[in-house]
């Protein structure tokens, strides 16, 4: 059985007036994940051009183990606490699946 990278796509809505704080916090989490976790291969944050409070986060991990390890890191756990005060409750929707094609 081959191990394939895991892609995670998250949609999330930020509370009014919390956009900059959200971007600052998720930027710290992304930077640390990419710097400190060899299994974190990609971490992108995309803004909705029609809704400044809506975002998509795209992350790629080497495998399920790398994703599980990410969720135990101090920077991820700190971000979860910080994020709770920045996003609309229950607005986060996570989708996860095997990365089938990556070009570029």
């Amino acid at each position: 059985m081959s191990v394939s990278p895991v892609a995670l796509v998250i949609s999330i809505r930020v509370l009014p007036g919390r956009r900059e704080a959200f971007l600052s916090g998720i930027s710290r989490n992304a930077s640390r994940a990419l710097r400190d976790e060899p299994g974190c291969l990609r971490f992108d944050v995309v803004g909705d051009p029609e809704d400044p409070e809506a975002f998509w986060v795209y992350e790629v991990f080497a495998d399920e183990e790398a994703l599980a390890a990410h969720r135990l890191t101090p920077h991820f756990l700190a971000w979860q606490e910080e994020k709770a005060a920045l996003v609309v409750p229950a607005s986060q929707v996570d989708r996860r699946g095997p990365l089938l094609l990556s070009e570029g």
Side-chain angles (χ1 to χ4, degrees):
M1 177 175 110
S2 68
V3 175
S4 65
V6 176
L8 183 63
V9 179
I10 300 166
S11 64
I12 196 162
R13 175 167 289 285
V14 176
L15 291 165
R18 304 303 300 193
R19 177 185 170 87
E20 293 308 316
F22 173 82
L23 288 171
S24 177
I26 200 165
S27 177
R28 280 191 306 278
N29 181 47
S31 294
R32 290 178 182 145
L34 288 166
R35 181 189 69 209
D36 299 340
E37 300 176 47
C40 182
L41 307 177
R42 184 169 196 102
F43 200 126
D44 298 323
V45 179
V46 180
D48 184 330
E50 297 177 12
D51 184 349
E53 295 166 350
F55 296 91
W56 299 286
V57 179
Y58 177 70
E59 302 171 50
V60 178
F61 292 88
D63 53 31
E64 289 285 347
E65 280 187 10
L67 174 57
H70 168 68
R71 291 180 170 163
L72 297 175
T73 61
H75 60 88
F76 175 82
L77 297 172
W79 167 237
Q80 294 309 294
E81 284 188 33
E82 183 180 359
K83 182 178 74 170
L86 302 174
V87 303
V88 174
S91 69
Q92 182 170 326
V93 177
D94 296 8
R95 297 285 185 250
R96 175 169 83 205
L99 182 64
L100 301 177
L101 178 67
S102 180
E103 306 252 354

